[in-house]
Each structure stands twice: as structure tokens, then as C-alpha cells.
Amino acid sequence: MDTEQQEDRLLLLVEDDAAFARTLGRSFERRGYRVILATNLDDVGLLLQQHSPGYAVVDLKLSGEASGLACVQTLHAHDPGMLIVVLTGFASIATAVEAIKLGACHYLAKPSNTDDIEAAFGRAEGTTEVELTNRSTSIKTLEWERIHEVLAETGFNISETARRLGMHRRTLARKLGKQQVK
């Protein structure tokens, strides 16, 4: 395999959960990818100085105040042709829209496996075949979307999000804990 082909199959995994990163990385390696790992935006910048991955999987919520959206923006600026998939346990329309606007080709809610991610790389182009529903949005869904919109604005800072929404931090934490992402 020549160097150019290796770079084409090079996948950058931006994930701060070491166990999940190890498992996902091994799974992609078994499929013929060469995997490099970053845990934050600084790591991404350093790796991009030495590598040009064709693929990236970015966790939306990284440890501390970090947001995967900043990583998506940096990756897309480095190579607009890179296929970037955002993974999140905090899925919302607001963060999905921002991820796509910043350069991600797809946005997947956890749990997602290697098959889902690899399929998302193959579906980088949009389609008009998506089924439209007549169901109106519920109040709970609207609340969930608003919470996640503010979470994204604050870089996933729970205390600041609660303050901006005018609710107690514990109430927000309880709401986030109750909502199951399917």
C-alpha cells in the first residue's frame, strides 16, 4: 500500500473516553483503516501538522469545556474533502445543524457502531428520499431542543446553561439524566 492510499484510509478519532476510543479504533483497524487518536482540540491541531486524514469521527462533548464542534470546524478548514461524522449522546437538532454547517458530513446519536459510522461516511451527499412526517413537535421535544441549543452555545457547561434557561442546575441535570437518546 503506498503512502497516498494509507492517508486515504487514515481515520482521526476525536474522543476523550479512552475505553470507547480503544474499542472503536480497533474495530476500524480491523476494517483496514489506520487510526490516530486525539482527545481534544489541541491534539487535533498537532496531529494535522503531521497527517491528512480522509476520515474523522468526532465526539460532540469532550471533557471539560471542549466542544467537538470546534474540532469539526478545524478539521473542515484543514481539508474540506474530509468526511467527518459527529457522534453524540446529547443529540439535538441545534447541534446537528451546527455540525453540518461547520463541515460534518453526518451526525449520529450514540450508541452507534462501526457499521453505522462507516455507512454515514458513504452517505455524505444528501437525499430527497427521506420520509417526511405529519406529526407535530411535542412540548417535551421543544424543551429538549432548547436545552441542547443552549448547551451547545455554552460549550456544554451545565451551570451556565441552567443560568441562561432560568432553572436550577440540579433540575437541568435531572432533565438531562431522564432523557434517553434513542
Side-chain angles (χ1 to χ4, degrees):
M1 187 181 270
D2 68 15
T3 307
E4 189 173 307
Q5 280 182 312
Q6 285 181 336
E7 290 295 297
D8 284 346
R9 295 291 285 182
L10 182 63
L11 181 136
L12 173 59
L13 179 55
V14 184
E15 173 64 63
D16 58 357
D17 178 336
F20 181 69
R22 186 172 44 254
T23 301
L24 191 59
R26 285 183 185 151
S27 183
F28 272 105
E29 286 170 348
R30 284 192 295 273
R31 292 170 185 243
Y33 291 84
R34 205 165 51 96
V35 178
I36 54 177
L37 177 66
T39 59
N40 56 47
L41 184 57
D42 292 336
D43 289 353
V44 168
L46 291 172
L47 287 170
L48 290 179
Q49 291 175 10
Q50 301 171 4
H51 302 281
S52 271
Y55 303 89
V57 177
V58 179
D59 186 12
L60 183 64
K61 187 175 185 314
L62 301 170
S63 63
E65 300 295 315
S67 167
L69 294 176
C71 294
V72 170
Q73 185 176 37
T74 298
L75 292 169
H76 185 70
H78 176 76
D79 179 3
M82 185 185 310
L83 297 175
I84 305 166
V85 172
V86 173
L87 283 182
T88 183
F90 298 92
S92 74
I93 292 172
T95 55
V97 168
E98 291 307 314
I100 301 303
K101 284 167 51 177
L102 291 169
C105 71
H106 227 288
Y107 180 97
L108 298 173
K110 289 179 180 176
S112 292
N113 60 30
T114 312
D115 290 334
D116 299 331
I117 298 166
E118 201 166 38
F121 286 142
R123 291 189 320 264
E125 298 295 320
T127 180
T128 59
E129 303 301 315
V130 175
E131 186 178 331
L132 302 175
T133 65
N134 288 333
R135 197 181 80 202
S136 62
T137 305
S138 72
I139 295 293
K140 285 188 177 204
T141 301
L142 291 172
E143 177 187 49
W144 181 245
E145 292 298 330
R146 180 65 181 138
I147 287 171
H148 281 280
E149 180 181 5
V150 177
L151 269 172
E153 288 172 5
T154 63
F156 296 93
N157 180 316
I158 300 290
S159 297
E160 177 61 16
T161 299
R163 187 189 68 71
R164 289 186 186 184
L165 292 171
M167 69 174 65
H168 195 279
R169 185 183 50 78
R170 285 190 202 136
T171 302
L172 177 58
R174 189 176 66 251
K175 286 180 180 288
L176 290 172
K178 277 186 184 178
Q179 183 71 31
Q180 294 297 315
V181 178
K182 293 179 174 126

